[in-house]
Amino acid sequence: MDHLTLRALKPTEYAEAANGYRAISGMADEAKDRVDKQITAAMQKANEGEAADAALKQLRKLSENFHYTQVECGLITGALDGFSSEITAPKRRLTEALDDAAALAYTVNTDGTITYPAGGENELTGEPVPGGTVLGSNGLMTGDGTGFRSPGLTPSNPQFKNPNPHHAKAVDIADRIAHAVREAREIDDRYSRALNKLKAAPGLNVDARTWADVASDVDAVSSAASAYLQDHIPLDKSPADRKEWWESLSDEEREEYRTAFPGIIGNLDGIPSTVRDEVNRESIRLLIAQLEGERDPASKEKLEGLKGIQTKLNAGSQPPMYLLGIGVEGNGRAIVAYGNPDTSKNVSAYVPGLGTKLNPEFADGTVTRAFHTAKGAQKIDPSSSSIVWLGYDAPQSIDVMTATDAKRGAPAYNSFMSGISATNENVDPHVTAIGHSYGSRLVGAATQEAGGVPGADDIILVGSPGVGVDKAEDLGVGKEHVWVGAAENDIVTKLPSSKEAVAGTVGFFAGGPVGTYLGGEVADQGDDDIWFGKDPASKAFGANRFETLPGPELIQPSYPNMLDSKIDMEAHSNYFNPEEGKDKVSARNIAAIVAGQPGYVTRETPR
């Protein structure tokens, strides 16, 4: 890239090329749908035997090829549009500099230097001061490179000011040209690297390794187009502004963003849930392919977590499942809804707590809680949706003793809740924020952010170690809309306050608050305080306490050898589970609150 190349470059040609690739991507997508929904379906009905099986295998391969073409051409579209947009600014600055040079009759040389004429007057001789040639950025003259070459003057003197009035103007123009070229070169290099990654080898076999490479391609294009994305996607705006932006786009523009930047669109609060779900179903496949070759324990955990979610997506469910967010940063990210949160009148978003991460247990454990809540709420009001929100790094061990992770995650939770309010199609949806265990501390932190939890009408706290405030009314929804579930045998709801805990302990369940509890230092020394402040289930806190089953006792004795007795924490985990032997009472009450029917809730006396 030099000034001659930049001068001749036409950004519109790259935009036109992007349109061509966009068309190819669209045709490939239509072809894939035809193969899957028409040809393959018809063949499965009409044919059996080895020949039919072989044909179906080839059709699946053809479908994958079309899918690959659709995704890669979509990425090329995004890269070309990004380049066309970004290169426009330095080209405009170059054109303005060249026009200024022409107006002054300066010569712009092929190497980017500027030659200017004689001008002014030498005070000693009365002759015009000679002209010269300058190079942008450094202000050097051509020749021996030692500086300004003018008879009788010392170029090394930093106080020297060239008396030729053309000199300063030429330096300014040369600097502007050099700056434009430098900027254009950086843009060109960035997009060239991304586009080069998108080249496919002849005869490419689209397999698992290919999809892993596609995931890398997605990252490369998003990275290359970071400046373009900042200018074109309202990343720093509110979810309501993003919704308005999305609605203003053409179908072609939306398709480009979905295909070229799935990691952004799929996780962007304010984008409709059906769009996020569609994009994230593609993203989860790419993330799985990307992690397949990794050998570190964290990647293996996340891989199994992703596979668990994908298995549920493929199996289908009633209520239907929506994948509203997915990612592998930190301990992993996943936002899963049962029931469409954009069309439902009642929407809840549950924040899990200690030990939660994207791992093999996430799909069958944490996600299932949202399913149970949605199922229960829909029995009361069919227009209900329940979400599990893992949009933060939940504490995994001793860090559960501080509010740090909760305070870090609170802004992201509020952004998500703001997005729910923005995209919901009902005039006044009923929104419930739910926090379980340490997740209740995050919800508490979210209520203390400016404006509180966006759209929240009710707050449910279950298995809570405290929320960081002393009274229910401090949570911003009115104390009559704060609901607390605390099972009799849930130790987390009876933790000692931090002042009562034994100093110097090293783990949450191997000392610390629980160690203190087991050691006989039972919480509530007359002040109703537990680990993160006032006990939400206490009378002093002032919330509605709903009925729960007691759950298994903490200590499960083993006879005859009592040394083999075990600690059972199941009472802390049963709140959402209506299955026999779990806590159908708590699950029913949570569902009633989520469905906006507090009259169906059975109450329990606060402590």
Side-chain angles (χ1 to χ4, degrees), residues 47-326:
N47 299 281
E48 294 181 356
E50 292 184 8
D53 290 343
L56 288 171
K57 183 178 179 181
Q58 290 300 312
L59 284 171
R60 283 191 291 270
K61 183 177 180 180
L62 180 62
S63 174
E64 282 290 274
N65 288 342
F66 281 133
H67 189 190
Y68 175 77
T69 302
Q70 179 244 333
V71 172
E72 290 288 284
C73 286
L75 292 174
I76 295 171
T77 299
L80 290 173
D81 270 341
F83 177 78
S84 174
S85 176
E86 286 194 54
I87 205 69
T88 298
K91 178 176 173 60
R92 183 185 67 250
R93 284 192 281 272
L94 173 69
T95 300
E96 291 170 352
L98 294 176
D99 288 346
D100 288 348
L104 293 167
Y106 297 168
T107 300
V108 180
N109 302 304
T110 56
D111 60 358
T113 57
I114 304 292
T115 299
Y116 59 92
E121 184 178 291
N122 188 309
E123 294 181 356
L124 296 177
T125 65
E127 297 293 323
V129 179
T133 300
V134 293
L135 176 65
S137 295
N138 299 318
L140 297 176
M141 293 186 65
T142 56
D144 60 11
T146 58
F148 301 109
R149 292 192 300 173
S150 188
L153 296 177
T154 305
S156 60
N157 183 353
Q159 302 300 318
F160 168 73
K161 181 179 180 181
N162 194 306
N164 188 329
H166 293 293
H167 172 265
K169 297 176 183 178
V171 168
D172 173 66
I173 293 172
D175 283 347
R176 287 156 58 197
I177 290 174
H179 176 74
V181 171
R182 278 199 311 273
E183 185 181 358
R185 184 176 294 128
E186 186 277 329
I187 294 169
D188 182 50
D189 289 346
R190 183 160 28 96
Y191 280 99
S192 292
R193 286 193 299 270
L195 284 164
N196 279 329
K197 279 187 61 60
L198 302 179
K199 290 181 179 179
L204 174 70
N205 181 36
V206 180
D207 54 18
R209 286 177 298 179
T210 307
W211 287 112
D213 189 58
V214 171
S216 176
D217 293 345
V218 170
D219 290 342
V221 171
S222 293
S223 177
S226 58
Y228 171 76
L229 294 174
Q230 288 288 342
D231 289 340
H232 288 75
I233 299 179
L235 300 174
D236 58 347
K237 300 292 185 180
S238 70
D241 290 333
R242 295 170 188 161
K243 175 179 180 286
E244 184 177 345
W245 164 77
W246 184 259
E247 291 176 343
S248 72
L249 300 175
S250 66
D251 290 342
E252 292 77 13
E253 289 171 324
R254 291 175 190 162
E255 182 58 33
E256 176 186 332
Y257 284 119
R258 279 194 295 256
T259 305
F261 311 111
I264 294 173
I265 298 302
N267 293 288
L268 194 62
D269 300 323
I271 301 300
S273 294
T274 53
V275 176
R276 292 177 72 164
D277 177 62
E278 176 190 347
V279 172
N280 288 324
R281 285 174 185 256
E282 183 70 45
S283 291
I284 195 172
R285 178 181 183 181
L286 298 179
L287 291 172
I288 287 172
Q290 196 171 27
L291 292 180
E292 286 281 9
E294 301 297 328
R295 296 290 178 263
D296 62 286
S299 294
K300 289 181 179 179
E301 268 197 331
K302 292 172 188 175
L303 176 61
E304 294 307 311
L306 292 169
K307 286 182 176 179
I309 294 173
Q310 188 179 53
T311 297
K312 283 186 175 293
L313 288 168
N314 292 341
S317 64
Q318 191 54 245
M321 186 175 176
Y322 293 83
L323 187 58
L324 305 182
I326 198 70

Side-chain angles (χ1 to χ4, degrees), residues 319-587:
M321 186 175 176
Y322 293 83
L323 187 58
L324 305 182
I326 198 70
V328 294
E329 61 269 30
N331 292 325
R333 301 286 186 267
I335 307 172
V336 178
Y338 283 97
N340 188 335
D342 290 353
T343 59
S344 297
K345 290 187 297 183
N346 306 296
V347 183
S348 69
Y350 141 62
V351 184
L354 173 66
T356 310
K357 57 183 174 178
L358 190 57
N359 62 8
E361 291 75 42
F362 181 76
D364 288 331
T366 309
V367 171
T368 301
R369 292 173 182 169
F371 172 77
H372 286 317
T373 299
K375 196 80 172 174
Q378 288 193 0
K379 289 180 181 178
I380 302 171
D381 186 342
S383 185
S384 298
S385 170
S386 183
I387 303 164
V388 55
W389 182 86
L390 182 62
Y392 81 119
D393 278 331
Q396 301 298 308
S397 58
I398 194 171
D399 48 344
V400 78
M401 297 170 68
T402 75
T404 302
D405 291 327
K407 292 178 179 178
R408 286 175 178 167
Y413 181 69
N414 279 349
S415 174
F416 176 76
M417 295 298 275
S418 181
I420 290 297
S421 296
T423 58
N424 192 280
E425 298 170 8
N426 293 279
V427 176
D428 186 21
H430 172 250
V431 177
T432 305
I434 306 176
H436 172 236
S437 187
Y438 188 86
S440 68
R441 182 64 184 88
L442 186 147
V443 170
T447 66
Q448 302 308 296
E449 295 276 311
V453 179
D457 298 291
D458 286 283
I459 291 176
I460 300 175
L461 311 168
V462 288
S464 176
V467 295
V469 300
D470 290 335
K471 293 186 179 297
E473 61 195 45
D474 295 335
L475 296 178
V477 294
K479 65 180 183 179
E480 67 277 10
H481 291 284
V482 179
W483 304 84
V484 177
E488 179 60 30
N489 291 320
D490 182 356
I491 184 179
V492 175
T493 71
K494 298 182 177 183
L495 296 177
S497 69
S498 56
K499 292 180 180 179
E500 295 163 338
V502 176
T505 51
V506 294
F508 194 83
F509 296 110
V514 177
T516 305
Y517 179 89
L518 295 175
E521 298 266 357
V522 181
D524 191 5
Q525 304 292 307
D527 61 2
D528 297 300
D529 284 345
I530 55 176
W531 191 254
F532 286 119
K534 200 66 67 181
D535 176 10
S538 70
K539 184 177 180 180
F541 191 77
N544 300 295
R545 186 181 181 190
F546 58 83
E547 185 183 6
T548 66
L549 295 181
E553 292 186 0
L554 179 65
I555 305 297
Q556 296 293 311
S558 177
Y559 301 103
N561 187 358
M562 294 300 290
L563 293 177
D564 291 335
S565 299
K566 296 179 180 179
I567 295 177
D568 189 337
M569 295 293 295
E570 193 171 341
H572 183 60
S573 306
N574 285 344
Y575 292 101
F576 302 90
N577 197 331
E579 296 174 356
E580 197 64 36
K582 301 300 181 179
D583 196 343
K584 59 183 179 182
V585 175
S586 174

